[in-house]
Amino acid sequence: MIPTVHPRGDRRIVRCAQVALDAGFRVHFVWLGDGYDQSQDSAVGETLVRQPRTARERLGRLVKIRRLAEELNGEVWHIHDFYFLGQALRWRKRSHHPVLYDVHEYYADYYSEKLPLPSWGQRLVAKILEGYQVRVARRLGAANVVAEAMAPSFRRAGVPVAVSPNYPLLAHFGAVPSRPFSERRWNVVHTGTLTSSYGTEFLVQIARRSLERGLPFEFTAIGRFPSIDHERAFDSILADAGTPTNLHIVPPRPTHEIPSLLSDAGFGLSLITATRQNEAAIASKSFEYVIAGLVNVVTDRRAQSDFVREHAVSVIGDEESTDAMLDEMLELAENADQTDITLADKAASARRLFTWEQAVEPGLSSLLKQLRPPVS
């Protein structure tokens, strides 16, 4: 397992590693982290690499990470970052061992949108980057993609593909939802990262507007920030809005504790902004919300709005329709008994369709076993 961006303990990477263990592999992580407590277990080992301070330092670290991984002489590499493709290809050529390329994001859109180009130029760059990653994946061995929409380009090129959305673990949810909607209908939660791309401005706006209207909703957001700069930016947004007293920021918590937070909420927010990648993405919290019996309150991004219309009780809008969204939330809260019945039906369906154990593990396990070199 070789992530060069995602830090030690990343949820998706740990879950993929568990699938590998269950498939009969031993696992060794080469990932970013600090400390001297790295595992030396024969089944699950670790090599920690110091966190880079700049993008240049991160890129310079790639050769070191490749060499560390080469020393371990694994049967299969499972890489998790677009810009490690070149290093993995070098190892593949020398060792002839397969590589599984894990595609966490719409990388072609993500990187092309960062370039100072007109939209047509960004689309051209995205097409080039998409073609590059597919060609390299074909030479490496296989791909594990986070969304079905990513898979066709790999399949057309003959690349074996597993589709592994970031569905929650059903085991973490137990009896959730366990409380009637009427007991949690005024609580609204946001469990995602607090950045502009994830809609921090809209989060503050909808809380402030609810307070101005005297509505009884209370908003809770997990204070998870990618950097201190993002935290300062959020604090500035809060201050500019007068720090709404109905918006509460709580400390980050482990993944397995999220369901207990959701069990107290009636509504879950996913307020991602309009970027090309976000139009195609469904935030993992949307799956959690529906399984936990929450109303999904989302921005009108194409993929996530399509998902909630079909699979959840939902409220859909944007910053221009804040009042209309609050009106819909209020109507659902005031008709709590009927909302509860519909939420329970959607939650039961989601437990069959959108859990890691049932929808992801079998396909990923099969692909890993397919990649394993034959015993000589």
Side-chain angles (χ1 to χ4, degrees):
M1 294 281 177
I2 313 169
T4 62
V5 173
H6 304 82
R8 186 187 195 193
D10 178 90
R11 178 175 67 178
R12 177 177 178 84
I13 293 166
V14 169
R15 288 182 183 174
C16 288
Q18 184 62 59
V19 174
L21 285 167
D22 293 342
F25 288 86
R26 290 177 297 159
V27 172
H28 194 100
F29 297 95
V30 181
W31 57 8
L32 304 179
D34 299 310
Y36 301 96
D37 59 337
Q38 56 211 49
S39 172
Q40 300 300 323
D41 188 273
S42 60
V44 184
E46 291 180 292
T47 299
L48 298 183
V49 180
R50 183 172 54 83
Q51 288 272 8
R53 292 165 295 184
T54 65
R56 175 176 291 185
E57 189 174 313
R58 187 184 300 279
L59 291 172
R61 196 71 56 81
L62 296 181
V63 173
K64 176 183 178 180
I65 291 173
R66 188 198 79 225
R67 289 172 178 167
L68 287 171
E70 284 176 337
E71 292 172 4
L72 296 163
N73 195 31
E75 288 182 306
V76 179
W77 277 12
H78 188 165
I79 69 168
H80 291 264
D81 298 303
F82 176 88
Y83 50 66
F84 199 69
L85 285 170
Q87 301 296 331
L89 187 58
R90 290 182 180 88
W91 181 76
R92 170 69 165 149
K93 289 178 179 177
R94 285 200 292 268
S95 70
H96 304 292
H97 290 177
V99 177
L100 177 59
Y101 170 41
D102 207 293
V103 191
H104 292 226
E105 308 278 353
Y106 289 85
Y107 290 125
D109 288 339
Y110 177 77
Y111 289 117
S112 64
E113 282 188 321
K114 290 180 175 293
L115 299 175
L117 296 173
S119 58
W120 66 265
Q122 291 180 346
R123 288 193 296 271
L124 177 60
V125 172
K127 186 175 181 179
I128 293 169
L129 293 178
E130 178 68 18
Y132 165 75
Q133 72 172 357
V134 169
R135 289 193 303 273
V136 174
R138 183 174 57 197
R139 298 167 69 183
L140 291 176
N144 180 40
V145 300
V146 76
E148 173 60 37
M150 297 176 173
S153 60
F154 291 95
R155 293 192 183 115
R156 286 193 296 269
V159 181
V161 179
V163 179
S164 303
N166 288 323
Y167 292 154
L169 285 171
L170 181 59
H172 286 171
F173 280 79
V176 176
S178 58
R179 298 174 57 203
F181 181 70
S182 60
E183 296 180 9
R184 48 193 174 89
R185 56 183 166 171
W186 304 118
N187 296 329
V188 185
V189 70
H190 182 281
T191 59
T193 305
L194 294 179
T195 67
S196 181
S197 176
Y198 282 83
T200 48
E201 291 87 351
F202 192 13
L203 167 64
V204 174
Q205 175 177 313
I206 199 169
R208 181 183 63 182
R209 185 61 186 142
S210 178
L211 188 65
E212 289 172 347
R213 290 179 54 180
L215 302 180
F217 294 115
E218 293 289 327
F219 295 79
T220 298
I222 293 178
R224 183 185 299 115
F225 303 92
S227 70
I228 189 65
D229 289 338
H230 285 90
E231 185 170 4
R232 287 170 180 158
F234 181 71
D235 288 342
S236 178
I237 294 168
L238 272 180
D240 290 344
T243 312
T245 56
N246 62 341
L247 176 55
H248 314 284
I249 309 302
V250 299
R253 58 197 62 198
T255 299
H256 67 273
E257 293 184 7
I258 295 298
S260 65
L261 177 67
L262 298 182
S263 68
D264 291 327
F267 296 84
L269 301 175
S270 178
L271 306 177
I272 55 178
T273 57
T275 67
R276 215 164 43 242
Q277 177 175 230
N278 283 350
E279 292 296 339
I282 303 173
S284 57
K285 54 183 173 287
S286 290
F287 305 124
E288 296 172 344
Y289 294 160
V290 67
I291 287 174
L294 277 64
V295 177
N296 269 253
V297 180
V298 306
T299 42
D300 196 8
R301 307 282 76 77
R302 176 173 50 81
Q304 77 169 4
S305 60
D306 287 349
F307 170 80
V308 300
R309 283 189 181 99
E310 182 174 359
H311 298 290
V313 180
S314 62
V315 174
I316 303 171
D318 276 299
E319 293 184 52
E320 294 76 16
S321 56
T322 302
D323 276 310
M325 294 174 72
L326 287 168
D327 289 341
E328 288 186 56
M329 293 168 63
L330 189 62
E331 182 177 355
L332 289 166
E334 290 177 339
N335 293 283
D337 291 343
Q338 182 56 50
T339 302
D340 201 19
I341 293 170
T342 312
L343 286 172
D345 179 65
K346 298 293 187 181
S349 177
R351 285 169 178 262
R352 295 191 298 269
L353 298 172
F354 306 121
T355 64
W356 183 268
E357 295 96 327
Q358 297 187 52
V360 175
E361 283 184 8
L364 180 55
S365 178
S366 176
L367 182 60
L368 284 166
K369 291 174 181 176
Q370 178 184 333
L371 286 177
R372 170 174 268 164
V375 177
S376 55

